[in-house]
Amino acid sequence: MTEETETKQTVKKEAEEPIKEPKLVRTERNGMIVGSVTLWDKKTKQNIKYSFNFPGVENAVKFTDLADVSRHAYWDAFINGNDDLGLNPLIGTPTVGGKPEKMSWKFWENHSGVMKVCSEADRFLVQELN
């Protein structure tokens, strides 16, 4: 009787190429204006796709009014929405390694680029108002 031995081959994950020049993409889906940008995350060493949902002109103006209150209020509405103003989050569920992850301030404890993502969300919002 011969004894068979199994050998496991280790599959080395191919290193992902960092996005050097992110491009904000705008499309319309089911009558809604949506956007996305893919950015390199230094902490996880992978590209992450962030989606943006245009809230309509009136709500977009409410978002921009929050910028006059404080930068934190403005960015917090991007990430968490603002119940008092009836605003849903502008930044949707990010795609990390092909899987969705919930957007929150806690998300940023394990990921880099909060300023860049909020800047791209701001650009998307203002671009739609112009």
Side-chain angles (χ1 to χ4, degrees), residues 57-119:
V57 173
E58 183 178 2
N59 283 340
V61 171
K62 288 180 184 179
F63 269 105
T64 59
D65 285 347
L66 283 172
D68 293 335
V69 174
S70 78
R71 188 175 304 156
H72 182 269
Y74 187 51
W75 288 4
D76 189 57
F78 282 178
I79 293 170
N80 295 312
N82 182 303
D83 290 337
D84 293 340
L85 297 176
L87 298 175
N88 292 324
L90 184 76
I91 302 171
T93 304
T95 304
V96 182
K99 297 177 185 173
E101 279 194 30
K102 183 175 173 19
M103 174 52 63
S104 67
W105 285 112
K106 187 159 180 63
F107 172 87
W108 295 109
E109 291 176 15
N110 300 314
H111 297 278
S112 66
V114 65
M115 292 180 74
K116 182 66 176 166
V117 172
C118 285
S119 174

Side-chain angles (χ1 to χ4, degrees), residues 24 34-35 52-54 120-128:
L24 180 61
V34 296
F52 308 128
N53 303 299
F54 186 70
E120 290 294 326
D122 174 70
R123 191 162 65 101
F124 168 74
L125 188 68
V126 172
Q127 181 177 295
E128 291 305 318

